[in-house]
Amino acid sequence: MLPARNRMRRSTEFDATVKCGARAVQSDVVVYLRRRNHGNNGPRVGLIIGKAVGSAVDRHRVARRLRHAARSLLGDLDQSDLVVIRALPSSRQASSARLTQQLRSALRRGCELAGTRR
């Protein structure tokens, strides 16, 4: 589970991150990374899991796995980062290890696109 201070809740943050953030595409997820000029209360992570992923049970299972993977990667992010993870339909069959590896790779690519290396 992600700590409360690291969860993205406002739709304006989701919208701004998806529209203005650097996008990195993997086979099972799409990651949007946006660097803010302010905000030192920790990186925030949001999930988008559409109905195309599967039934409610499948979507919740994917969300739990992605939250767990994102929690392990919080230390790799700047305090001002906003991250949105969009699950693709193929994420339903992906293992937790594969999702973690894809998130790590996508965040690395997103940091390069945003102008800083991690």
Side-chain angles (χ1 to χ4, degrees):
M1 186 61 70
L2 282 170
R5 66 183 176 93
N6 295 116
R7 286 186 227 143
M8 192 181 296
R9 292 191 179 96
R10 293 192 169 100
S11 63
T12 55
E13 288 179 329
F14 274 91
D15 292 343
T17 303
V18 171
K19 289 179 184 173
C20 302
R23 182 176 75 157
V25 180
Q26 296 290 314
S27 59
D28 298 319
V29 294
V30 178
V31 175
Y32 301 90
L33 174 69
R34 181 170 174 241
R35 294 275 157 103
R36 296 180 291 178
N37 294 333
H38 63 285
N40 291 327
N41 54 350
R44 291 189 182 207
V45 178
L47 300 176
I48 300 173
I49 316 254
K51 287 188 177 183
V53 171
S55 67
V57 173
D58 293 331
R59 293 192 307 269
H60 284 98
R61 184 175 295 126
V62 168
R64 282 192 305 271
R65 285 199 255 146
L66 287 173
R67 276 194 301 268
H68 180 75
R71 183 178 183 184
S72 67
L73 300 175
L74 286 176
D76 297 340
L77 298 171
D78 283 343
Q79 293 296 311
S80 61
D81 286 348
L82 295 175
V83 177
V84 172
I85 303 166
R86 180 185 299 272
L88 298 176
S90 60
S91 64
R92 183 178 57 212
Q93 289 89 17
S95 68
S96 295
R98 179 178 166 144
L99 289 175
T100 302
Q101 183 264 338
Q102 287 189 13
L103 278 178
R104 189 176 309 276
S105 176
L107 283 173
R108 190 177 316 114
R109 178 71 178 139
C111 287
E112 290 173 3
L113 292 172
T116 59
R117 291 198 173 258
R118 282 260 166 216

